[in-house]
């Protein structure tokens, strides 16, 4: 059984930056898509960004476009989320997720029927005003 381990969360002031990392290990299936999701207290989980592991396609929620950048290092089986110009509304637990099914890396951000099957335990990001 594989695992996804997030790191890099913390507390910063509005306007600051953080970089999250997610390392995948132990999967016996080929992971073709990885992404970041977040859930704030009392709110539903929302897709933030996703990236294919086998081609240079990335996708973002409208709320983070221009501020967040997702990237990958296939040699390390790791993805990153560089978060700049952070706002209090970015406060949430951020979860890394992975999928072995190709072709739904974009849809998975907004359509629950395409939810990724593999999830990390999350890392907390707190932005103060």
């Amino acid at each position: 059984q594989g695992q996804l381990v997030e790191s890099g969360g913390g507390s910063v002031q509005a306007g600051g930056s953080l970089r999250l990392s997610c390392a995948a290990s132990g999967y016996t299936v080929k992971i073709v898509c990885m992404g970041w999701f977040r859930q704030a207290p009392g709110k539903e989980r929302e897709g933030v960004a996703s990236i294919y592991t086998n081609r240079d396609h990335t996708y973002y929620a409208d709320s983070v476009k221009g501020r967040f950048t997702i990237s990958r290092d296939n040699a390390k089986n790791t993805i990153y989320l560089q978060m700049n110009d952070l706002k209090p509304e970015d406060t949430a637990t951020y979860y890394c997720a992975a999928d072995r099914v190709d072709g739904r890396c974009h849809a998975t951000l907004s359509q629950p029927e395409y939810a990724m099957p593999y999830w990390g335990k999350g890392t907390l990001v707190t932005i103060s005003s």
Side-chain angles (χ1 to χ4, degrees):
Q1 184 73 9
Q3 64 175 353
L4 300 171
V5 179
E6 303 99 334
S7 61
S11 299
V12 298
Q13 290 189 325
S17 299
L18 283 172
R19 189 175 86 148
L20 306 183
S21 300
C22 171
S25 63
Y27 288 98
T28 57
V29 296
K30 180 176 175 59
I31 300 299
V32 298
C33 173
M34 296 181 71
W36 292 97
F37 296 74
R38 67 186 182 186
Q39 187 166 22
K43 294 188 176 182
E44 293 187 354
R45 187 180 69 199
E46 64 170 334
V48 175
S50 60
I51 185 168
Y52 279 107
T53 62
N54 56 6
R55 48 194 183 274
D56 290 331
H57 290 177
T58 58
Y59 307 96
Y60 296 93
D62 288 343
S63 58
V64 305
K65 280 181 182 176
R67 300 188 299 123
F68 292 10
T69 302
I70 189 170
S71 61
R72 70 177 192 273
D73 183 336
N74 286 350
K76 296 181 179 179
N77 293 322
T78 299
I79 64 168
Y80 305 95
L81 186 69
Q82 178 66 44
M83 306 186 293
N84 297 329
D85 190 23
L86 284 159
K87 304 176 181 181
E89 51 264 41
D90 294 318
T91 295
T93 297
Y94 283 70
Y95 297 90
C96 176
D99 200 355
R100 63 182 180 88
V101 177
D102 204 349
R104 59 189 194 186
C105 208
H106 188 191
T108 191
L109 291 183
S110 60
Q111 300 180 50
E113 60 267 37
Y114 299 120
M116 296 191 191
Y118 311 121
W119 291 84
K121 294 183 178 181
T123 185
L124 180 62
V125 171
T126 304
I127 312 302
S128 58
S129 58

